[in-house]
Amino acid sequence: MSTEPRINDRIRVPEVRLVGPSGEQVGIVPLAKALELAQEYDLDLVEVAATARPPVCKLMDYGKFKYESAMKAREARKNQAHTVIKEMKLRPKIDPHDYDTKKGHVVRFLKQGDKVKITIMFRGREQSRPELGFRLLQRLADDVQDLGFIESSPKQDGRNMIMVLGPHKKKTEAMAEARAIADARKAERQGRTPGSDAAADSDEFLEDQDDILESEDVADDLAEDLDEDVAEDLAEAQDAAAETEAPEAAAPVEQPAEASQGA
């Protein structure tokens, strides 16, 4: 069923309660009279309360009304704040450079007003040292305490240890700040002088390069995680093979009975 109101000739009732263009109450009038007034004002007769008895209709510019309603809905969607939980995975024996890179991603997420789920992944014998993961999570929480807080304390979940960081800044505030910065940059670009075009273009080029480098860093992190997974899985397989072969190697070799008697 259509959710749009009925207008003009689509209204099928003998009489309506009419509201004028400025919101004034005209009263109950026949439908023909209401349509005549709509033509006189060069407006549309729009049914705004179909369930009333008689239905309430208003004289308005329906095209303008639909446009303004769409713009209000669009603005409301723009200001909506969707809760997003980002995830960052680390290893207990993470390299200092990798730690700084992943901490930078956590800082960026918190500045955007998003929650961050930190997962420490234990492999092999690392599962017997959960204190390594706990210390790493505490270190990360201390490094970003100006931007976020510990919303969920570290806890063991199977082979992983999980902690959730919440941002100090609300999502709506972060969106408003980002929008203000974007508007300021746009105004600066529109108001630049002809002599500053080259410098502005250079700044835009550098910003694009920063975005490319950031995406490359993310790709490098994924590749490093994949390499670590493969290496650790291989090490676990080798350890398991060594443990199974050790008892066989230590077992004594039995000599045949005939050979021992001949000797």
Side-chain angles (χ1 to χ4, degrees):
M1 297 178 61
S2 176
T3 58
E4 293 188 1
R6 293 183 294 182
I7 63 173
N8 299 329
D9 295 336
R10 295 181 181 178
I11 302 174
R12 304 292 186 181
V13 291
E15 59 183 11
V16 297
R17 185 178 298 276
L18 186 63
V19 180
S22 302
E24 68 276 11
Q25 296 289 335
V26 178
I28 299 176
V29 299
L31 178 62
K33 178 64 174 178
L35 291 173
E36 182 180 344
L37 290 174
Q39 291 180 356
E40 181 180 342
Y41 285 105
D42 194 20
L43 295 173
D44 299 306
L45 181 65
V46 182
E47 189 178 55
V48 295
T51 57
R53 292 292 180 268
V56 180
C57 296
K58 184 177 181 180
L59 298 175
M60 67 174 72
D61 185 344
Y62 186 60
K64 181 180 179 182
F65 170 75
K66 285 187 67 176
Y67 174 77
E68 291 177 349
S69 299
M71 293 302 295
K72 289 179 181 179
R74 181 181 178 184
E75 189 66 23
R77 288 194 301 269
K78 183 189 297 185
N79 294 329
Q80 281 181 344
H82 300 284
T83 302
V84 179
I85 298 181
K86 305 290 187 177
E87 184 173 10
M88 189 60 58
K89 296 182 179 180
L90 296 84
R91 297 291 169 75
K93 299 179 180 178
I94 188 171
D95 183 82
H97 172 73
D98 296 338
Y99 173 81
D100 292 337
T101 302
K102 300 208 171 187
K103 183 183 72 173
H105 295 319
V106 174
V107 168
R108 177 163 52 87
F109 294 148
L110 293 175
K111 285 183 178 180
Q112 293 173 354
D114 296 324
K115 296 181 181 180
V116 187
K117 175 183 176 183
I118 312 297
T119 303
I120 303 294
M121 300 181 295
F122 296 96
R123 301 286 180 158
R125 295 184 176 87
E126 292 176 350
Q127 297 181 59
S128 62
R129 301 289 303 280
E131 66 276 6
L132 296 177
F134 183 81
R135 285 200 295 264
L136 182 59
L137 291 176
Q138 288 294 334
R139 173 188 172 190
L140 180 60
D142 293 339
D143 290 342
V144 298
Q145 61 181 348
D146 294 338
L147 300 172
F149 61 94
I150 299 178
E151 184 174 288
S152 177
S153 300
K155 60 181 180 180
Q156 194 78 21
D157 183 14
R159 300 176 65 178
N160 301 329
M161 183 174 288
I162 298 173
M163 178 182 71
V164 178
L165 295 175
H168 291 311
K169 187 184 301 181
K170 294 183 179 179
K171 184 72 173 179
T172 52
E173 297 176 359
M175 292 173 60
E177 290 183 6
R179 195 176 299 116
I181 294 174
D183 292 341
R185 289 181 178 177
K186 183 178 180 181
E188 183 180 355
R189 291 172 183 172
Q190 291 178 349
R192 65 192 182 193
T193 60
S196 63
D197 287 346
D201 292 338
S202 177
D203 292 339
E204 294 177 5
F205 174 77
L206 291 176
E207 291 177 2
D208 294 339
Q209 292 298 316
D210 290 339
D211 294 339
I212 293 173
L213 290 175
E214 183 176 342
S215 63
E216 290 178 351
D217 288 340
V218 175
D220 291 342
D221 291 341
L222 295 175
E224 290 173 1
D225 290 343
L226 181 60
D227 292 340
E228 290 178 4
D229 290 341
V230 173
E232 292 183 357
D233 291 341
L234 180 59
E236 288 182 12
Q238 292 176 348
D239 292 341
E243 291 175 357
T244 55
E245 291 176 359
E248 297 178 0
V253 179
E254 296 182 0
Q255 297 292 334
E258 298 178 358
S260 58
Q261 291 176 1

